[in-house]
Structure formats: C-alpha cells, structure tokens
Amino acid sequence: GENVEQHPSTLSVQEGDSAVIKCTYSDSASNYFPWYKQELGKRPQLIIDIRSNVGEKKDQRIAVTLNKTAKHFSLHITETQPEDSAVYFCAATATGFQKLVFGTGTRLLVSP
Amino acid sequence: DAGITQSPRYKITETGRQVTLMCHQTWSHSYMFWYRQDLGHGLRLIYYSAAADITDKGEVSDGYVVSRSKTENFPLTLESATRSQTSVYFCASSGRGAYEQYFGPGTRLTVT
C-alpha cells in the first residue's frame, strides 16, 4: 500500500525566511496531495492541495510543487511569520482514492 | 468548522471498559473517517465509511468497532479499552473520499 515519508521532522527559521517541507510517496497511482496545518491543541486544517495533473500551485505565501517522476512533493512557505508556527502534515491518496495516507508531520517554528 | 463535531472532547476511562466516541457532521458528506494521532506517528486511519451502512478498516483497526446507520453520525467504539489506545482521536468527513477532508475538533482519550 501507499507509504508517505516526510522531512524534516522539525524546522526552525527566522521570521521572513522561507521554509520548505518535503514528502515522498510510494504509489505511482496516487493523484491527490493535500497539506494540513495543525496548531497546538487544534484540529488539522487543509491549507493547500495539488492534483497529479498539475506541477505547481500557489496561494499567497504558500505553494506546493509535485514531481511525479521522482514521486515527491513539497510545501514552500515564503516570508514566514510567527503565526506560521505549527505542525504540517502531507498526505497522498491510497489505492482506490477513498482514503489518505499521512506523513508523520513537520514541526515548524518561526522565531521573531 | 462547526459542521463537524465530536463528543466528548475529553474522556478518562479504565482498562477493560467500553467507550464510545461520537462524531456528527451537518454537511451531508458521504465519507467519514476516524484517525488517531500519536506523537511520532502522525495521523493513522482507524476506520472509514463511504456511505451509511458501508464501513471499511484502516491501518490500525484492531480493538475498534464502528457503525453508520445515519449519514451524519459515525460513532467509534473501543470494546475493551487498553492503555495503548490512549490517544487523540479525530473524526473527518468528505464529500469525495480522499479529497478535501475536514476534521472535527478531536477527542483526547486517556485509558488508565
């Protein structure tokens, strides 16, 4: 079945810097790759997603890129702010496209 | 976010007891999911349901039972709680399977 690996597990940046989180997946049939942000004590919230027929998608300061050949996708956050501090999870569709497999999360800390 | 709720939000129970966690959504989403979140493991799927009376196992289903008699409700039962089931449990729903899942606020369960 699908396996998703996520790196790094923790990432510390200074306010204003960029942050990049990377994920790899194993099932070449996966076609949907969402990213979730989870603030401390809160629920995971969908912040951006990308389909397999698109190479890049942007939404203000966040962007996601997908390399289907290498089976990896990345989250890019530019001009980071303290409120970007959270745990970020990537995910990919599992066989049958009815469910997701999540990575183990990246804790992002943005220092003022 | 008020469209998906979970109860109770916090629960302490003893080993061997049966406990049921409730999930309710008002979006009429056909898909509903139960995940557990543990440090270092991210979000792992316990069970999911594609529609009323249709359920299927996820990767960590042992010791859990689900039912779905109504589209809007998806209760999760721990038949005989064990300490290893101490976790934060999240319910999610989606109109389209793996795509655009929205999470409830979570239930923190402690088994003593």
Side-chain angles (χ1 to χ4, degrees):
Chain A
E2 177 66 281
N3 183 53
V4 177
E5 295 189 356
Q6 183 171 349
H7 299 282
S9 56
T10 54
L11 179 60
S12 295
V13 300
Q14 292 292 120
E15 182 176 1
D17 288 349
S18 295
V20 180
I21 303 170
K22 299 181 180 180
C23 289
T24 60
Y25 61 98
S26 60
D27 188 350
S28 57
S30 292
N31 68 351
Y32 174 69
F33 307 92
W35 286 88
Y36 285 81
K37 175 184 180 181
Q38 186 179 27
E39 297 176 353
L40 189 63
K42 301 289 182 63
R43 73 188 79 191
Q45 292 194 305
L46 179 66
I47 57 171
I48 194 167
D49 55 20
I50 191 168
R51 307 292 174 115
S52 59
N53 59 346
V54 176
E56 184 176 5
K57 184 177 179 181
K58 290 183 179 180
D59 183 2
Q60 298 183 336
R61 294 187 297 107
I62 62 173
V64 57
T65 58
L66 172 65
N67 183 325
K68 288 173 57 180
T69 302
K71 290 191 284 187
H72 67 69
F73 57 110
S74 299
L75 178 71
H76 304 253
I77 306 174
T78 59
E79 300 176 13
T80 54
Q81 301 169 4
E83 51 264 39
D84 294 328
S85 296
V87 178
Y88 292 81
F89 292 97
C90 64
T93 47
T95 305
F97 310 116
Q98 290 188 309
K99 53 188 178 180
L100 292 171
V101 176
F102 283 83
T104 51
T106 296
R107 183 174 300 279
L108 174 65
L109 177 62
V110 181
S111 302
Chain B
D1 285 353
I4 182 165
T5 57
Q6 293 182 234
S7 62
R9 296 292 315 278
Y10 303 90
K11 177 74 176 178
I12 300 174
T13 192
E14 295 177 343
T15 301
R17 293 209 181 241
Q18 183 180 83
V19 60
T20 296
L21 309 183
M22 303 300 294
C23 180
H24 175 78
Q25 54 102 357
T26 60
W27 293 311
S28 298
H29 282 167
S30 55
Y31 284 85
M32 296 187 75
F33 307 84
W34 275 106
Y35 295 90
R36 60 178 290 174
Q37 184 173 36
D38 306 288
L39 196 63
H41 291 280
L43 293 155
R44 293 184 290 174
L45 183 65
I46 304 170
Y47 268 97
Y48 68 103
S49 169
D53 298 321
I54 300 175
T55 62
D56 206 350
K57 295 180 179 180
E59 61 178 304
V60 290
S61 60
D62 286 349
Y64 302 95
V65 175
V66 294
S67 61
R68 194 167 177 208
S69 57
K70 293 184 178 181
T71 300
E72 61 266 31
N73 297 324
F74 191 37
L76 175 73
T77 297
L78 288 67
E79 295 185 296
S80 178
T82 66
R83 290 180 182 170
S84 65
Q85 293 177 312
T86 292
S87 187
V88 179
Y89 291 85
F90 286 100
C91 176
S93 73
S94 166
R96 295 185 296 158
Y99 309 98
E100 297 181 10
Q101 293 185 19
Y102 294 94
F103 284 78
T107 294
R108 181 174 296 276
L109 176 68
T110 302
V111 182
T112 61

